[in-house]
Amino acid sequence: MKLFVYHTPELTPTDKAPECAIAVDVLRATSTIATVLAAGGEAVQVFSDLDQLIEVSEKWPSEKRLRAGERGGAKVAGFELGNSPLDCTPEVVQGRRLFISTTNGTRALQRVQDSPSVLAAALINRAAVVQYVLDKQPETVWIVGSGWEGSYSLEDTVCAGAIAHSLVQQTKLSQEELAGNDEVISAIALYSQWQDNLLGLLHQASHGQRLLRLDCLDDLKYCSQTDILDVLPIQHETGVLK
Ligand code: 3SL
């Protein structure tokens, strides 16, 4: 198995695809997707374009759908939900499909949607994602961070490091054997330094600070937890995770 980490969708190669692609947006799209499915949501369907989301979701029975959208950290007007995982309780999401568009996270998922298997990972469901990789033993695995509008983000890289660190421990491969690019080594180093204070790292991250200005401390606390949800969001048809 060879693991590659790409910090943003823009840095991800376009001329090839891995056997298994893992999209990460710790703050907050993939944390929200994992939470919705763990809370009994029927599926999550992702869109980069808001007009397309509205068009497709309108064909769905209104009592079975929820529209969630975020731009600049704030909820899209007219949608039931923004992008806070804390709003996705079983009472709200059970049996419903979440149609979601966010600034960066949905773009990362769309970037790898043609891979044979596509997963959504966050810190909260890291163990479930790692277990899938261990079971399937894909030859190539890409972890694609969402970043922020094309730039590196600490929180996605630390999650990539958390996944890579666990794979090293459980496969008994050395870092060098597992790593397909240097980003893997640096992601593991970042995680190793911050694994006991992930909330502290999210406080330092520029998007963490943006969310704190929007009064989202509880979101940071929730998203900084590791392995609390045994859920594996996996793409069943293009853009639809269950
Ligand atoms: O950029 C994204 O995809 C988001 O997850 C951003 S936010 O955390 O909802 O602001």
Side-chain angles (χ1 to χ4, degrees), residues 14 20 95 112 117 138 173 193 205 212 227 242:
T14 49
C20 175
V112 291
S117 72
L173 291 171
Q193 188 178 339
L212 287 171
D227 305 338
K242 291 187 179 180

Side-chain angles (χ1 to χ4, degrees), residues 1 19-20 117 119 128-141 167 232 234:
M1 184 193 311
E19 210 176 313
C20 175
S117 72
L119 313 176
V129 169
V130 167
Q131 194 55 53
Y132 175 90
V133 173
L134 293 171
D135 291 345
K136 299 283 175 196
Q137 291 288 325
E139 255 176 47
T140 47
V141 181
L167 286 171
L232 182 73
I234 186 160

Side-chain angles (χ1 to χ4, degrees), residues 3 25 43 66 90 93 105 113 144 150 180 210 240:
L3 177 67
D25 185 23
L66 284 166
V93 304
Q113 68 187 8
V144 177
R210 190 177 295 115
V240 179

Side-chain angles (χ1 to χ4, degrees), residues 66-194:
L66 284 166
R67 291 167 177 169
E70 163 279 326
R71 288 295 180 266
K75 178 171 168 282
V76 173
F79 283 17
E80 289 87 6
L81 297 172
N83 186 28
S84 173
L86 300 179
D87 293 336
C88 302
T89 60
E91 297 70 36
V92 174
V93 304
Q94 193 130 41
R96 293 179 166 209
R97 177 169 294 210
L98 189 85
F99 295 86
I100 187 169
S101 176
T102 69
T103 314
N104 304 287
T106 49
R107 278 176 47 244
L109 274 160
Q110 289 195 323
R111 175 67 202 81
V112 291
Q113 68 187 8
D114 295 331
S115 304
S117 72
V118 178
L119 313 176
L123 291 166
I124 55 175
N125 70 331
R126 182 270 309 252
V129 169
V130 167
Q131 194 55 53
Y132 175 90
V133 173
L134 293 171
D135 291 345
K136 299 283 175 196
Q137 291 288 325
E139 255 176 47
T140 47
V141 181
W142 290 3
I143 303 178
V144 177
S146 301
W148 184 266
E149 295 180 346
S151 308
Y152 174 94
S153 73
L154 275 174
E155 65 276 13
D156 294 340
T157 300
V158 86
C159 182
I163 295 168
H165 182 266
S166 181
L167 286 171
V168 166
Q169 285 187 327
Q170 298 195 58
T171 56
K172 310 274 188 251
L173 291 171
S174 66
Q175 280 188 44
E176 294 72 22
E177 285 166 331
L178 182 69
N181 61 4
D182 288 0
E183 287 86 333
V184 175
I185 310 287
S186 67
I188 292 174
L190 184 69
Y191 175 71
S192 300
Q193 188 178 339
W194 286 91

Side-chain angles (χ1 to χ4, degrees), residues 42-56:
E42 181 267 330
V44 177
Q45 189 159 354
V46 300
F47 297 84
S48 49
D49 183 65
L50 287 172
D51 292 334
Q52 208 196 348
L53 183 158
I54 292 168
E55 194 189 319
V56 174

